[in-house]
Amino acid sequence: MEKTIAAISTPPGAGGMGVIRVSGENAVETVENIFQSISEKKVSKMKGYTAAYGKIIDRGEFIDEAVILVFKAPHSYTGEDVVEISCHGGMYITKRVLRAVLANGAAPAGPGEFTKRAFLNGKMGLTEAESVMDIISAQGKQSARTALSVLEGKLRKRIESVRDILVGLAAHLSAWADYPEDEIPEIDEDQLITGLSESKARLEKILGEYDAGKVMREGVDTVIAGRPNVGKSTLMNLLSGCERSIVTNIPGTTRDVIEETVMLGNIPLKLSDTAGIRNTDDPVESIGVKIAKERLMSAGLIFAVFDSSEPLSDDDMELLEMLSDAPAVAVINKTDLENRIEIDIIREKCSHIVFISAKSGNGSEMLAKEVENIIGTDKIDASQGMIANERQRSDAENALGSINEALDAINMGITFDAVTVIIEDAINSLLELTGERVTEAVVDRVFSNFCVGK
Ligand code: GDP
């Protein structure tokens, strides 16, 4: 029998409301000990999905007013009896109510323990459980949509479709090997290769989306570069929608690297507005320039800003030279002014060009489109369920490795017995991915990343 657990499920800090969640066989009894309903109805007499209003009283001391919500097993988040106590928010009251719950028979919940129980009670698969955490930490609409689609089981279904092909092949192979007298038609090599190749293609597609998906969840390190006065700070302010860095018309005033995360379309950008890249004698500024160059080399995305109202300068050319092979957009700014820039030279060096006016905001949608294009997020459909973390990626990678091994083995003419074993390895990796065959250690590791209360 699992012990009854409790934790504060709302974030710490001042808030209008706080929720203490209690789950387990004694959840109802535990809350009954500290809750006095206004209607004098006992908690144990309440039906599932009903609420009651009353007072939390711990050993005679009135603590707070509260609403409790009762869920009866198996119709709850964890699959156990659950009581949620909604009281006033804030550090003191929620902790005090939790203390009362713990003094009356519940144990403190470990990190992710509610969701872990939901998984162990078959309420959700492992990939779905993991996505609960992604939903909580989702920063943008797209990453929330991805996590929700995983919660709906879309990733599991995609993985299962591959597993089913492999199980079909393995079952046929072993039946044929184990019962030769039963006249099971011998599986032909073409059939085997077709099935394995199909599985390989599906896994490669899923794995190929991982990097783009990661960008959507975690954001991409973006550097805004350009010589002084081209409009870097103005662009940064446009993207972040507020006056963040100091905009001036004296060249070289943006000395420090300023960072913040903004959403451009569906993609979170971790922006740093860097000092202009140009050679200078001013020691403070030259430190900024050095940092800027280093950032540029390691950035996931570069906005190289140019002033369309002036011909290209030496500093502009130096920046252009650094862009080759980098994930860069040439942002041609100040399009509201008369055009004097040699756009053909920029075109030679950089294949992604966007024309904007950072001052008026014209052209920012084109910038968003171009970024999606560079990062590859325009080609993936976030609603179909994507691999969300390293654990899932490594299992998919292992399965793909085994499939490739099986294909090689067939090419080398190795016996079907040996091929069957390799296909089973691939199946095992996929079963581990979906959590159907997973060790306790893996489950513990998954949930240790959660916060308490989830
Ligand atoms: P930085 O040194 O690259 O950060 O450039 P700033 O953002 O400080 O801008 C330098 C000057 O250019 C400021 O006076 C801005 O108002 C002006 N500026 C920036 N973007 C535009 C634009 O799109 N059109 C026009 N006309 N002026 C701009």
Side-chain angles (χ1 to χ4, degrees):
M1 189 188 59
E2 289 277 1
K3 59 187 192 290
T4 295
I5 50 169
I8 302 168
S9 284
T10 38
M17 228 177 83
V19 174
I20 292 93
R21 179 152 53 182
V22 191
S23 177
E25 219 176 34
N26 298 325
V28 168
E29 193 187 320
T30 300
V31 175
E32 189 162 82
N33 286 334
I34 57 162
F35 182 74
Q36 254 178 32
S37 159
I38 215 93
S39 65
E40 293 184 358
K41 188 165 187 172
K42 282 186 156 307
V43 183
S44 52
K45 293 281 181 299
M46 289 170 65
K47 291 202 183 96
Y49 301 124
T50 61
Y53 168 68
K55 290 174 176 174
I56 301 290
I57 294 174
D58 185 20
R59 280 158 295 179
E61 184 195 344
F62 169 62
I63 298 170
D64 195 13
E65 298 175 318
V67 171
I68 64 160
L69 199 52
V70 174
F71 301 82
K72 289 287 172 67
H75 306 293
S76 71
Y77 183 72
T78 57
E80 306 171 325
D81 281 354
V82 169
V83 183
E84 287 178 7
I85 306 170
S86 304
C87 57
H88 287 103
M91 293 294 253
Y92 175 74
I93 290 291
T94 48
K95 276 196 177 152
R96 183 65 189 87
V97 174
L98 178 63
R99 184 139 51 89
V101 171
L102 297 181
N104 280 277
E113 200 170 351
F114 294 105
T115 310
K116 182 175 174 180
R117 289 186 176 199
F119 165 66
L120 293 173
N121 289 328
K123 299 295 282 188
M124 57 176 86
L126 198 58
T127 53
E128 286 94 327
E130 285 172 312
S131 74
V132 168
M133 195 166 58
D134 294 333
I135 289 170
I136 301 168
S137 50
Q139 294 192 24
K141 189 172 103 189
Q142 198 79 347
S143 47
R145 201 190 303 159
T146 312
L148 275 170
S149 73
V150 176
L151 186 60
E152 281 174 357
K154 298 250 174 81
L155 174 64
R156 179 164 45 77
K157 290 197 184 99
R158 286 181 87 185
I159 297 294
E160 281 170 357
S161 79
V162 179
R163 187 203 61 197
D164 290 347
I165 299 175
L166 297 174
V167 168
L169 296 176
H172 198 139
L173 282 170
S174 4
W176 175 71
D178 293 348
Y179 307 101
E181 67 279 8
D182 279 4
E183 291 178 12
I184 292 164
E186 181 177 352
I187 194 162
D188 72 72
E189 211 173 281
D190 286 348
Q191 221 178 326
L192 200 53
I193 291 175
T194 310
L196 286 171
S197 305
E198 177 62 29
S199 312
K200 179 181 157 134
R202 289 191 195 188
L203 279 182
E204 278 174 345
K205 183 163 187 334
I206 293 171
L207 281 162
E209 293 162 357
Y210 180 67
D211 286 340
K214 196 169 158 153
V215 163
M216 279 199 271
R217 284 187 309 278
E218 295 170 14
V220 54
D221 275 315
T222 308
V223 168
I224 303 181
R227 70 173 163 79
N229 238 20
V230 289
K232 297 181 298 297
S233 312
T234 312
L235 176 62
M236 177 122 173
N237 291 339
L238 171 73
L239 295 172
S240 56
C242 66
E243 290 280 310
R244 186 64 180 78
S245 40
I246 321 138
V247 181
T248 62
N249 46 19
I250 307 158
T253 42
T254 320
R255 280 177 177 159
D256 296 316
V257 176
I258 298 168
E259 285 184 353
E260 75 182 292
T261 301
V262 303
M263 291 301 295
L264 181 63
N266 284 319
I267 301 169
L269 301 179
K270 288 185 275 185
L271 281 181
S272 36
D273 173 13
T274 61
I277 293 175
R278 65 163 192 176
N279 299 315
T280 170
D281 295 331
D282 176 345
V284 179
E285 205 183 319
S286 70
I287 292 170
V289 171
K290 186 165 171 284
I291 295 173
K293 279 187 180 164
E294 282 166 12
R295 294 265 165 155
L296 202 61
M297 289 342 222
S298 63
L301 181 67
I302 302 167
F303 289 154
V305 186
F306 299 93
D307 182 342
S308 71
S309 69
E310 291 176 8
L312 287 168
S313 70
D314 291 348
D315 289 327
D316 288 330
M317 289 308 296
E318 193 184 336
L319 174 61
L320 268 178
E321 293 302 332
M322 284 194 257
L323 299 184
S324 57
D325 303 328
V329 185
V331 179
I332 316 297
N333 188 32
K334 309 196 191 180
T335 50
D336 52 300
L337 301 179
E338 197 187 333
N339 182 52
R340 291 204 186 82
I341 200 164
E342 303 91 331
I343 195 68
D344 292 343
I345 298 178
I346 298 180
R347 257 188 239 287
E348 269 170 36
K349 305 281 181 196
C350 183
S351 50
H352 301 279
I353 300 182
V354 171
F355 296 87
I356 70 162
S357 166
K359 210 170 186 174
S360 72
N362 273 346
S364 56
E365 298 87 12
M366 288 312 294
L367 187 60
K369 275 220 179 80
E370 206 57 43
V371 166
E372 289 226 332
N373 185 329
I374 291 182
I375 295 176
T377 43
D378 55 338
K379 286 174 214 70
I380 59 175
D381 176 5
S383 62
Q384 63 178 344
M386 296 192 299
I387 284 189
N389 56 40
E390 280 301 315
R391 183 196 73 81
Q392 297 171 0
R393 194 197 55 77
S394 119
D395 285 337
E397 210 61 271
N398 289 342
L400 181 62
S402 301
I403 291 170
N404 283 329
E405 206 184 317
L407 282 166
D408 289 347
I410 295 168
N411 279 336
M412 289 188 293
I414 288 169
T415 63
F416 278 1
D417 266 8
V419 174
T420 313
V421 173
I422 304 172
I423 295 177
E424 274 162 6
D425 283 345
I427 297 171
N428 281 334
S429 298
L430 296 180
L431 288 175
E432 184 167 312
L433 201 168
T434 56
E436 286 159 281
R437 188 181 298 163
V438 74
T439 63
E440 209 178 313
V442 170
V443 173
D444 285 346
R445 187 147 19 96
V446 165
F447 290 101
S448 67
N449 293 326
F450 275 60
C451 43
V452 171
K454 205 47 232 172

